[in-house]
PDB file of all heavy atoms in Angstrom:
ATOM      1  N   GLU A 201     -19.609  21.683 -25.585  1.00  0.00           N
ATOM      2  CA  GLU A 201     -20.496  22.742 -26.081  1.00  0.00           C
ATOM      3  C   GLU A 201     -19.715  23.959 -26.575  1.00  0.00           C
ATOM      4  O   GLU A 201     -20.114  24.618 -27.534  1.00  0.00           O
ATOM      5  CB  GLU A 201     -21.500  23.152 -24.994  1.00  0.00           C
ATOM      6  CG  GLU A 201     -22.544  22.076 -24.763  1.00  0.00           C
ATOM      7  CD  GLU A 201     -23.861  22.622 -24.197  1.00  0.00           C
ATOM      8  OE1 GLU A 201     -24.030  23.854 -24.164  1.00  0.00           O
ATOM      9  OE2 GLU A 201     -24.702  21.790 -23.812  1.00  0.00           O
ATOM     10  N   GLU A 232     -25.959   6.214 -27.866  1.00  0.00           N
ATOM     11  CA  GLU A 232     -24.882   5.220 -27.843  1.00  0.00           C
ATOM     12  C   GLU A 232     -24.408   4.912 -29.241  1.00  0.00           C
ATOM     13  O   GLU A 232     -25.193   4.874 -30.190  1.00  0.00           O
ATOM     14  CB  GLU A 232     -25.384   3.939 -27.179  1.00  0.00           C
ATOM     15  CG  GLU A 232     -25.090   3.919 -25.714  1.00  0.00           C
ATOM     16  CD  GLU A 232     -25.345   2.549 -25.125  1.00  0.00           C
ATOM     17  OE1 GLU A 232     -24.875   1.554 -25.738  1.00  0.00           O
ATOM     18  OE2 GLU A 232     -26.019   2.483 -24.086  1.00  0.00           O
ATOM     19  N   ASN A 262     -13.391  35.422 -54.313  1.00  0.00           N
ATOM     20  CA  ASN A 262     -14.128  35.989 -55.433  1.00  0.00           C
ATOM     21  C   ASN A 262     -13.726  35.375 -56.764  1.00  0.00           C
ATOM     22  O   ASN A 262     -14.478  35.367 -57.717  1.00  0.00           O
ATOM     23  CB  ASN A 262     -13.936  37.491 -55.485  1.00  0.00           C
ATOM     24  CG  ASN A 262     -14.530  38.137 -54.245  1.00  0.00           C
ATOM     25  OD1 ASN A 262     -15.650  37.812 -53.855  1.00  0.00           O
ATOM     26  ND2 ASN A 262     -13.773  39.000 -53.606  1.00  0.00           N
ATOM     27  N   GLY A 314     -31.513  30.045 -62.488  1.00  0.00           N
ATOM     28  CA  GLY A 314     -32.221  30.141 -61.219  1.00  0.00           C
ATOM     29  C   GLY A 314     -31.786  29.085 -60.209  1.00  0.00           C
ATOM     30  O   GLY A 314     -32.327  28.985 -59.118  1.00  0.00           O
ATOM     31  N   GLU A 371     -24.604  18.855 -65.013  1.00  0.00           N
ATOM     32  CA  GLU A 371     -24.388  17.963 -63.886  1.00  0.00           C
ATOM     33  C   GLU A 371     -23.743  18.758 -62.771  1.00  0.00           C
ATOM     34  O   GLU A 371     -22.839  19.563 -63.018  1.00  0.00           O
ATOM     35  CB  GLU A 371     -23.389  16.858 -64.278  1.00  0.00           C
ATOM     36  CG  GLU A 371     -23.839  15.955 -65.388  1.00  0.00           C
ATOM     37  CD  GLU A 371     -24.656  14.785 -64.878  1.00  0.00           C
ATOM     38  OE1 GLU A 371     -24.677  14.558 -63.643  1.00  0.00           O
ATOM     39  OE2 GLU A 371     -25.282  14.118 -65.706  1.00  0.00           O
ATOM     40  N   ASN A 382      -5.662  14.348 -38.464  1.00  0.00           N
ATOM     41  CA  ASN A 382      -6.474  14.062 -37.283  1.00  0.00           C
ATOM     42  C   ASN A 382      -7.897  14.586 -37.359  1.00  0.00           C
ATOM     43  O   ASN A 382      -8.649  14.496 -36.416  1.00  0.00           O
ATOM     44  CB  ASN A 382      -5.814  14.670 -36.040  1.00  0.00           C
ATOM     45  CG  ASN A 382      -4.452  14.075 -35.819  1.00  0.00           C
ATOM     46  OD1 ASN A 382      -4.299  12.854 -35.850  1.00  0.00           O
ATOM     47  ND2 ASN A 382      -3.457  14.921 -35.648  1.00  0.00           N
ATOM     48  N   GLU A 387     -19.372  16.590 -43.466  1.00  0.00           N
ATOM     49  CA  GLU A 387     -20.013  17.545 -44.361  1.00  0.00           C
ATOM     50  C   GLU A 387     -21.495  17.259 -44.486  1.00  0.00           C
ATOM     51  O   GLU A 387     -21.989  16.197 -44.149  1.00  0.00           O
ATOM     52  CB  GLU A 387     -19.301  17.627 -45.712  1.00  0.00           C
ATOM     53  CG  GLU A 387     -19.711  16.610 -46.719  1.00  0.00           C
ATOM     54  CD  GLU A 387     -18.951  15.323 -46.552  1.00  0.00           C
ATOM     55  OE1 GLU A 387     -17.964  15.283 -45.790  1.00  0.00           O
ATOM     56  OE2 GLU A 387     -19.354  14.345 -47.178  1.00  0.00           O
ATOM     57  N   GLU A 395     -41.195  21.707 -57.569  1.00  0.00           N
ATOM     58  CA  GLU A 395     -42.103  21.126 -58.562  1.00  0.00           C
ATOM     59  C   GLU A 395     -41.534  21.130 -59.977  1.00  0.00           C
ATOM     60  O   GLU A 395     -40.972  22.134 -60.414  1.00  0.00           O
ATOM     61  CB  GLU A 395     -43.387  21.970 -58.595  1.00  0.00           C
ATOM     62  CG  GLU A 395     -44.520  21.386 -57.785  1.00  0.00           C
ATOM     63  CD  GLU A 395     -45.691  22.360 -57.771  1.00  0.00           C
ATOM     64  OE1 GLU A 395     -46.265  22.583 -58.832  1.00  0.00           O
ATOM     65  OE2 GLU A 395     -45.971  22.881 -56.675  1.00  0.00           O
ATOM     66  N   GLN A 505     -11.002  -4.706 -46.076  1.00  0.00           N
ATOM     67  CA  GLN A 505     -12.111  -3.761 -46.012  1.00  0.00           C
ATOM     68  C   GLN A 505     -13.390  -4.429 -45.509  1.00  0.00           C
ATOM     69  O   GLN A 505     -13.608  -5.622 -45.740  1.00  0.00           O
ATOM     70  CB  GLN A 505     -12.398  -3.215 -47.407  1.00  0.00           C
ATOM     71  CG  GLN A 505     -11.470  -2.137 -47.873  1.00  0.00           C
ATOM     72  CD  GLN A 505     -11.834  -1.720 -49.281  1.00  0.00           C
ATOM     73  OE1 GLN A 505     -11.392  -2.338 -50.233  1.00  0.00           O
ATOM     74  NE2 GLN A 505     -12.649  -0.694 -49.403  1.00  0.00           N
TER      75      GLN A 505
END
Side-chain angles (χ1 to χ4, degrees):
Chain A
E201 288 205 10
E232 267 191 47
N262 296 314
E371 297 273 348
N382 299 312
E387 85 275 349
E395 262 174 66
Q505 281 178 275

